[in-house]
Amino acid sequence: MVFGVPFDSTSSFRRGSRLAPAAIRYAYRNLEAFDPWYGTAFPELSITDLGDLTEEEDARLVVDTVESVVALLKADGKIPIMLGGEHSITTGAVRNFKECSMVIIDAHSDFRRSYFGNEHNHACVTHRSLEILGPGRIFSVGTRSTSREEYEDPDYSKVIFYSSREVDARGMAKIADEIDAAAKGKIYFSIDMDGLDPAEAPGVGTPEPYGISARGLRLLLNKLARRIVGFDIVEMTPLYDNGNTAMLAAKIIQDFLGSREQGE
Ligand code: MN
Ligand code: MN
């Protein structure tokens, strides 16, 4: 079940992620509807697009609304596929998955307790998620930007951070196996598009060099897709895109759906 959250009012650098749901949908419609690798004809899957939530400025209100919408979808046995918007919205979804583990793709640790006086700033989402899920349940992949304050936070080690350097050194296949073995229960999967290399995903709010590759992300998704019960793509902004980021976001959704269809 797809829905968009056009919200970007806490973005600290480049705004525009409120425009991403429309851009990702437009790109998705331009993808081929069949993928022989997965053997999937995407229009035949039972996926509904609910459209977008009403645009609001208040982060707390948006997070609470996302929580309610995802609660309804979950109660109905549906898998939410949320198109952001900025990363703060993920907290609302995660509140519905207290029993799950979480995988985050992100350049940033997003581990601030509060930022600019707002605990629902997008730079705080990993900390908020830790408060919901508890220690040892969150795996954040692609990290390469963190403040000293976050790094020295006594709770920092309660999240398993795989830096992009570590992914480079050890390879995503090994890390995917490790997460698959260590994660307990089902998985909520959150993709901050800036986790990817800006060469592949330039249209993001806060780009950071030396990101993980789209192929690495695909590998991780292939490995974990059948355990995923909630999914989001956030922080993409069409205002800085050459078209490739929206297309990649759309393709990632196909890879998620296709991986679920494919046997082990
Ligand atoms: Mn983020
Ligand atoms: Mn980020």
Side-chain angles (χ1 to χ4, degrees), residues 87 104-110 140-146 156 161-164 191-198 204 206-212:
H87 213 166
I104 303 171
I105 305 298
D106 205 325
H108 309 92
S109 50
D110 285 354
S140 186
V141 182
T143 328
R144 55 199 183 276
S145 172
T146 188
Y156 193 81
F161 286 102
Y162 289 97
S163 68
S164 59
I191 301 173
D192 179 329
M193 287 297 285
D194 67 34
L196 294 156
D197 195 278
V204 295
T206 39
E208 282 284 338
Y210 305 126
I212 65 166

Side-chain angles (χ1 to χ4, degrees), residues 66-125:
V66 166
E67 179 183 2
S68 320
V69 170
V70 172
L72 289 171
L73 298 180
K74 192 184 174 210
D76 203 24
K78 305 291 194 294
I79 295 177
I81 298 177
M82 178 165 71
L83 309 178
E86 57 175 60
H87 213 166
S88 33
I89 61 174
T90 299
T91 301
V94 171
R95 284 179 187 159
N96 291 285
F97 296 101
K98 294 187 171 71
E99 70 288 1
C100 298
S101 295
M102 181 181 193
V103 175
I104 303 171
I105 305 298
D106 205 325
H108 309 92
S109 50
D110 285 354
F111 208 64
R112 287 182 160 90
R113 287 173 183 251
S114 167
Y115 202 47
F116 294 113
N118 186 354
E119 64 174 22
H120 289 301
N121 186 286
H122 67 152
C124 309
V125 63

Side-chain angles (χ1 to χ4, degrees), residues 152-258:
E152 292 178 350
D153 188 299
D155 291 334
Y156 193 81
S157 61
K158 295 178 180 172
V159 170
I160 297 101
F161 286 102
Y162 289 97
S163 68
S164 59
R165 277 178 186 269
E166 184 174 351
V167 176
D168 285 346
R170 301 178 55 218
M172 188 63 96
K174 268 211 182 73
I175 285 163
D177 285 345
E178 229 168 82
I179 294 175
D180 193 34
K184 294 189 174 60
K186 302 286 189 186
I187 292 170
Y188 185 89
F189 203 99
S190 178
I191 301 173
D192 179 329
M193 287 297 285
D194 67 34
L196 294 156
D197 195 278
E200 291 188 271
V204 295
T206 39
E208 282 284 338
Y210 305 126
I212 65 166
S213 71
R215 285 176 172 78
L217 170 56
R218 183 171 65 177
L219 208 148
L220 185 61
L221 261 183
N222 289 165
K223 183 82 193 176
L224 302 176
R226 280 171 304 277
R227 296 178 64 184
I228 293 173
V229 287
F231 186 88
D232 66 54
I233 297 188
V234 297
E235 296 286 340
M236 186 254 155
T237 166
L239 298 180
Y240 295 86
D241 198 15
N242 54 10
N244 293 355
T245 317
M247 199 53 88
L248 179 56
K251 197 74 184 176
I252 289 168
I253 294 170
Q254 276 199 347
D255 277 301
F256 170 51
L257 299 171

